Amino acid sequence: MTTKKDENGITITGGEYFDIGQTLDCGQTFRFRREEDGSYVVHSADKVCRMRESGDALRIDTSDPDYFYRYFALDEDYGGYFARLSAMSELKDACEAGRGIRLLRQDAFEMIISFIISANNNIPRIKGIIERLCARCGAPLDDGYAFPTRSELLGLTVSDFTALGAGYRDSYLYSAVRTVTDEFLEELKTLSAQSARKMLLTVKGVGPKVADCIVLFGLGKRDSFPVDTWMKKALGSEELNTAGKIHDFYLRRYGSLAGLAQQYIYNYARTRGQGSGS
DNA sequence: TTCCAGGGATATA
DNA sequence: TATATCCATGGA
């Protein structure tokens, strides 16, 4: 894969291990939309880009190419990761089905708020709540809105979160906005995956699964293995009969590639029987 | 009508 | 430490 940065974006060729749809649609981000012409608009924090596939090339238009170069992890060798994981027989099918998935490097604060909303919820509804939250108090961009900053969210009451459709997570969000200070975030970013997980568990509304997602998608630590209902369905067994046991077993098994393995498995479990492979 | 969704907080033993 | 119950909401 070759990438060329210019003033107005990035051009990628030979992106066998970069499928826009697979990468955006596997539940790690909720702020994107697919246009009728097949292009995508992606938001992250206060940034926005537009993406389009044309022939063998993939073009990302944005006023901040450096941000999205990092966001899509374009310096990482996903072919190498893929080779290591698909060599494990139990992962082969899931890898092939999710060949174009990349783990995004997203904003930590946005991930904390977003994944608190995600708990016991479904993706379409999560997207709606986040969209309304951004429209309510995020800065307007030339296309859509920025994700709200902490100080913007400090202006919301519990019932404001309720009105946005957050359900019983309203009070979790209200509390989390007050717990996750700039100092909290700064310290969080210096920690290992395991220590960061522990620190995140002190935030109201953040349990083991949500903490794992924040560590994986928001802190860029790939030795993390979120276990949700889909993962339980895919990996549960007589012995591994709780989320905690599944988490511990597979985190150890896949080590530094656990997060990517998890995405392959999650994608495979969710899309199986729907013919959405490459 | 009931079940389910990228679960977590709380009470109880 | 481990398990049971409750929690808003909307689509299937």
Side-chain angles (χ1 to χ4, degrees):
Chain A
M1 187 169 85
T2 61
T3 66
K4 281 185 201 162
K5 258 190 281 185
D6 59 69
E7 280 186 357
N8 300 312
I10 309 167
T11 299
I12 300 161
T13 52
E16 182 184 0
Y17 300 99
F18 188 3
D19 183 285
I20 302 174
Q22 282 189 335
T23 295
L24 297 177
D25 206 22
C26 64
Q28 50 180 332
T29 176
F30 306 104
R31 293 220 297 143
F32 68 94
R33 67 172 193 267
R34 189 177 195 276
E35 306 283 49
E36 284 189 7
D37 64 2
S39 66
Y40 290 83
V41 177
V42 180
H43 290 266
S44 174
D46 59 348
K47 312 289 185 186
V48 58
C49 76
R50 294 164 184 78
M51 308 175 70
R52 171 188 314 278
E53 281 165 332
S54 56
D56 181 43
L58 195 159
R59 173 67 187 176
I60 302 171
D61 288 306
T62 174
S63 59
D64 198 337
D66 290 332
Y67 183 87
F68 284 100
Y69 187 90
R70 183 174 182 283
Y71 179 87
F72 289 111
L74 296 179
D75 58 331
E76 290 190 63
D77 176 21
Y78 270 75
Y81 300 156
F82 181 90
R84 285 166 59 189
L85 289 175
S86 61
M88 306 175 81
S89 57
E90 85 274 17
L91 283 181
K92 187 160 188 269
D93 292 343
C95 287
E96 294 294 343
R99 180 181 289 262
I101 294 174
R102 302 178 80 84
L103 286 167
L104 302 172
R105 297 185 176 279
Q106 302 185 71
D107 178 75
F109 182 71
E110 179 173 344
M111 290 299 97
I112 292 172
I113 301 302
S114 297
F115 277 93
I116 288 174
I117 293 170
S118 82
N120 194 25
N121 211 337
N122 58 68
I123 289 178
R125 187 167 165 239
I126 297 164
K127 289 173 89 166
I129 295 167
I130 292 174
E131 202 174 298
R132 291 191 289 277
L133 184 66
C134 294
R136 164 72 195 259
C137 53
L141 306 175
D142 57 338
D143 185 336
Y145 298 87
F147 195 86
T149 62
R150 173 174 182 254
S151 51
E152 285 165 341
L153 291 183
L154 280 170
L156 297 187
T157 63
V158 173
S159 51
D160 286 332
F161 286 112
T162 316
L164 292 168
Y168 59 81
R169 306 161 197 81
D170 51 5
S171 59
Y172 302 162
L173 292 166
Y174 181 87
S175 170
V177 167
R178 282 153 183 77
T179 305
V180 182
T181 61
D182 294 342
E183 294 73 30
F184 182 101
L185 281 172
E186 256 179 62
E187 183 182 349
L188 188 67
K189 290 173 182 174
T190 68
L191 301 176
S192 69
Q194 289 316 301
S195 301
R197 184 180 201 261
K198 234 180 243 181
M199 186 172 178
L200 283 163
L201 289 176
T202 67
V203 180
K204 201 156 268 186
V206 177
K209 188 270 173 183
V210 168
D212 286 330
C213 285
I214 296 165
V215 167
L216 181 57
F217 306 134
L219 298 177
K221 310 286 187 191
R222 298 342 193 174
D223 49 339
S224 178
F225 198 84
V227 177
D228 68 350
T229 57
W230 292 99
M231 297 300 287
K232 279 188 224 169
K233 277 190 241 178
L235 301 176
S237 66
E238 294 280 326
E239 315 84 65
L240 301 179
N241 56 358
T242 68
K245 289 177 188 171
I246 295 171
H247 169 270
D248 293 350
F249 180 85
Y250 285 100
L251 179 59
R252 174 170 308 189
R253 179 172 183 81
Y254 299 130
S256 64
L257 289 179
L260 184 58
Q262 192 274 354
Q263 285 300 95
Y264 288 140
I265 298 165
Y266 174 78
N267 172 262
Y268 192 54
R270 269 208 331 156
T271 59
R272 201 159 15 186
Q274 296 178 25
S276 72
S278 70

